Amino acid sequence: MQESQNLLNSILKTAQMGQTGIRSTLKTTMRPTLRRALETQLSEYDGIEREAQAIAESRGWELRDLEPVARGMADMVTRARLSGGCTDSRIAAMMITGSTKGMVKGLQQLHQFNRPDPQVTGLSQKLLDCENAGIRQMQSFL
């Protein structure tokens, strides 16, 4: 049970980090097509967060949200990286980097999972698919 809760907590934090990065990026000027793509990805992360919370609630688990300091640092880093002139290519590269980190972390944790929990591993796979789709989508903006 603890493994499932830890994996679910990691899924939640990864989704919240994706939300934070996208929200920070949406504060900048970009092509409408890139904005729509990012808004779609944000919606997917929102859905994964809601699913993680619902699973936790149904099991009586308490998940730990992403720390406010981590959110603040992610926002500051995003703004700093985009301060030298924002281009769609730079935004896309940042999103690809973030999604790749999320995929690596997710796969590592999924492979350490000894006792499969269909609901939690299914949500983990959904997050991995979301990250992978986001990477593919952002490639066209490079």
Side-chain angles (χ1 to χ4, degrees), residues 48-114:
I48 290 169
E49 179 183 22
R50 282 191 303 276
E51 268 189 73
Q53 295 287 7
I55 292 169
E57 185 177 322
S58 73
R59 296 178 183 195
W61 295 346
E62 192 170 315
L63 298 180
R64 295 175 311 277
D65 284 332
L66 188 63
E67 297 291 329
V69 172
R71 291 176 195 260
M73 289 299 294
D75 185 56
M76 282 178 25
V77 168
T78 300
R79 284 187 285 128
R81 287 186 178 155
L82 295 176
S83 67
C86 178
T87 65
D88 290 352
S89 180
R90 184 179 291 176
I91 291 169
M94 285 175 48
M95 294 296 112
I96 289 170
T97 299
S99 291
T100 301
K101 287 178 183 178
M103 283 189 68
V104 168
K105 181 179 177 185
L107 284 168
Q108 286 173 333
Q109 290 186 323
L110 196 56
H111 291 155
Q112 293 173 1
F113 201 49
N114 294 322

